[in-house]
DNA sequence: ATAAACCTTTACGTTGGGTAAAGGTCAAGC
DNA sequence: GCTTGACCTTTACCCAACGTAAAGGTTTAT
């Protein structure tokens, strides 16, 4: 049985262009060329094409398919095992992506917009700058340039992991704050847990943590509407509640 | 804060070329162009880029990103949900691929110990026994003890090579069946090739091949759930498709 | 002043083919 | 014998999302 391009194309399910392309790159040459220049394929080529399509279906690149088909069976098995690993990596990558999308959707629906920094590890410079623009002036006035610069430097020097931990902690605080608020008591265990975690969170950014500075920040949270808006996102009145909890935690009340 | 291309490139982690490209396709235009023709980006562009990169990381195409960013938030959520579905499909596709690769590796590796003649003989016995257990009763009822015994004897007497060929052919049929099924047409060239190979495969086992018996087997494939399960492994509905293809091939329809 | 470091545009390469365009070949019907 | 339509051929431009020069202008540092 002999086939011209389009005949083979039909029985194999690929296009004629594909066959010409495979000829061009040397992946599948026709059995012969007839007197009019037509490509003529035989049974052997049909079988080879089947194999090629098998690998192609597995998302192996044509170049790798070429290599594989020129190897003995033993190495073909190895190649397949290798490919299997790649597929596994792809899948775990996909899983991560899906988790991110899921979280994003959840946070959009939940009304708590994700912090930019959470979306991108490695986008730290941008965050620092944002903070500078939003709060820089007030904070610099209150704590002095040295403190702020040191804080920024610490942020900049943080590992991606630490950065992510910090953001995760920030999110956790928001969720805890909401529940703590419902206790109605800033001295409650839950509220004090929030305060403790807030200290922990702050220590990611502040190289020189002090109770006094922390308490000062707590007051500023309440008096600056941009901070208020931020912490009230979790629950209305959350900022004041957080301040109260912090002051108790810091034993300054 | 203002940035030239490479400055922005550094803080965002993409290349300068990428930024020029995004400018070119209109995805992200610089805030302004200075007197020397340099692209100058501002804070707004940094934020936009961040969003773009977020979607890009999710493997959304740049074209879709353009669309998404021109939509209000609620549509963005919808787009994300849509994208999530796509990712899920991708993953289930990947899972199938991985299963196929696994099977192929297993069968290729299974071919190596077969070089050992004793093991090979044992393997054949095992197959025969398995067949007996799985389908023996029905087949014996339908075709009689003589036919079945002859078949088993033929299997037992097969050379190692023939046996391996038979198994390879069986595998090939499964793969072809899957592709043939996608043509949707049991009379298609691909489907008829499957039928032809099925006949070839059967003749390894049956000493006395007949069209009638083949057609009978085809019907049994569909009515017996164990056969159905076997051929549906390749593709759901594959058993019926195989029967239809066989009946056409055998010209009994 | 001169070199190094940046910036610009233009343009070709990558994968795996799709899609013309321009032209040769073959079987069928008149 | 001639035309028509179905095939076949090669050449060549197109897609995404940039990478990688090349050739040349600008800014900064020494």
């Amino acid at each position: 049985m002999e086939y011209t391009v389009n005949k083979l194309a039909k029985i194999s399910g690929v296009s004629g262009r594909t066959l010409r392309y495979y000829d061009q790159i040397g992946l599948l040459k026709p059995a012969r060329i007839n007197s009019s220049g037509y490509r003529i394929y035989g049974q052997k080529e049909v079988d080879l094409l089947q194999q090629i399509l098998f690998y192609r279906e597995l998302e192996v690149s044509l170049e790798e398919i070429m290599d594989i088909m020129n190897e003995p069976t033993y190495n073909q098995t190895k190649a397949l095992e290798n490919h299997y690993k790649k597929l596994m990596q792809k899948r775990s990558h996909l899983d991560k992506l899906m988790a991110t999308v899921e979280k994003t959707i959840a946070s959009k629906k939940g009304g708590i917009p994700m912090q930019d920094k959470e979306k991108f590890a490695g986008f730290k410079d941008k965050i620092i700058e944002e903070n500078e623009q939003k709060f820089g002036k007030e904070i610099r006035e209150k704590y002095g340039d040295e403190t702020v610069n040191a804080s920024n430097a610490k942020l900049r020097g943080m590992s991606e992991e630490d950065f992510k931990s910090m953001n995760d902690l920030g999110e956790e605080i928001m969720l805890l704050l909401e529940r703590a608020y419902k206790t109605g008591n800033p001295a409650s265990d839950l509220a004090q847990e929030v305060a403790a975690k807030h200290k922990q969170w702050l220590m990611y950014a502040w190289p020189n943590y002090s109770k006094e500075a922390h308490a000062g920040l707590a007051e500023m949270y309440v008096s600056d509407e941009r901070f208020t808006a931020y912490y009230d996102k979790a629950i209305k009145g959350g900022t004041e509640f957080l301040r109260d909890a912090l002051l108790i935690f810091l034993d300054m009340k």
Side-chain angles (χ1 to χ4, degrees), chain A:
Chain A
M1 269 217 272
E2 299 201 321
Y3 310 91
T4 54
V5 256
N6 283 344
K7 291 237 174 94
L8 177 53
K10 252 179 205 157
I11 70 165
S12 66
V14 304
S15 75
R17 173 66 163 103
T18 298
L19 291 175
R20 293 194 189 94
Y21 182 63
Y22 288 175
D23 180 9
Q24 183 189 327
I25 65 173
L27 178 55
L28 181 69
K29 296 273 183 198
R32 62 190 177 83
I33 306 280
N34 78 4
S35 58
S36 314
Y38 288 20
R39 290 171 181 81
I40 307 294
Y41 297 88
Q43 188 56 46
K44 191 178 133 205
E45 285 73 33
V46 176
D47 292 344
L48 283 174
L49 180 56
Q50 304 294 357
Q51 256 206 280
I52 291 170
L53 294 183
F54 169 68
Y55 284 112
R56 194 186 65 165
E57 205 138 317
L58 301 182
E59 296 179 2
V60 181
S61 75
L62 298 187
E63 203 181 346
E64 282 178 288
I65 294 179
M66 280 224 257
D67 295 342
I68 290 175
M69 308 239 310
N70 287 327
E71 295 282 339
T73 313
Y74 166 74
N75 280 348
Q76 287 191 19
T77 307
K78 268 193 170 179
L80 273 180
E81 282 169 350
N82 214 301
H83 190 66
Y84 187 75
K85 279 181 198 161
K86 280 190 209 162
L87 291 178
M88 267 177 48
Q89 285 172 7
K90 259 196 176 180
R91 192 174 63 172
S92 91
H93 180 61
L94 257 185
D95 284 341
K96 276 186 207 159
L97 289 188
M98 289 173 67
T100 305
V101 176
E102 238 171 320
K103 259 175 79 179
T104 309
I105 291 175
S107 87
K108 282 203 178 191
K109 283 197 168 165
I112 302 177
M114 232 198 309
Q115 288 298 292
D116 295 338
K117 41 198 176 185
E118 191 191 338
K119 293 182 192 166
F120 301 99
F123 223 91
K124 288 179 289 186
D125 286 21
K126 198 238 144 200
I127 299 297
I128 291 167
E129 207 202 301
E130 234 186 356
N131 285 340
E132 277 284 340
Q133 274 214 303
K134 275 193 195 155
F135 312 117
K137 206 174 141 203
E138 284 83 356
I139 296 197
R140 278 181 188 276
E141 270 173 20
K142 205 168 172 76
Y143 300 106
D145 283 355
E146 263 189 59
T147 311
V148 176
N149 287 342
S151 169
N152 283 352
K154 189 170 184 199
L155 274 180
R156 228 183 295 270
M158 265 167 68
S159 75
E160 250 182 57
E161 271 178 35
D162 284 349
F163 200 74
K164 192 174 177 330
S165 301
M166 178 180 172
N167 283 321
D168 287 347
L169 187 56
E171 246 190 37
E172 196 190 337
I173 287 171
M174 284 297 236
L175 293 171
L176 276 177
L177 176 60
E178 194 176 343
R179 288 202 292 133
Y181 181 83
K182 289 175 186 162
T183 69
N185 177 15
S188 69
D189 288 348
L190 205 49
Q192 290 305 297
E193 194 186 335
V194 172
K197 288 207 190 271
H198 192 263
K199 172 182 177 183
Q200 212 183 319
W201 178 75
L202 207 51
M203 288 171 75
Y204 272 112
W206 285 5
N208 303 307
Y209 175 83
S210 79
K211 282 190 171 193
E212 288 71 24
H214 197 173
L217 190 68
E219 289 294 350
M220 203 176 76
Y221 276 3
V222 174
S223 60
D224 191 308
E225 61 177 32
R226 288 163 304 183
F227 281 105
T228 314
Y230 181 74
Y231 281 101
D232 275 9
K233 264 193 311 194
I235 185 107
K236 201 168 168 252
T239 314
E240 288 188 26
F241 185 84
L242 175 61
R243 178 203 51 189
D244 293 341
L246 281 175
L247 292 182
I248 293 167
F249 176 75
L250 297 167
D251 195 24
M252 301 193 73
K253 200 178 183 179

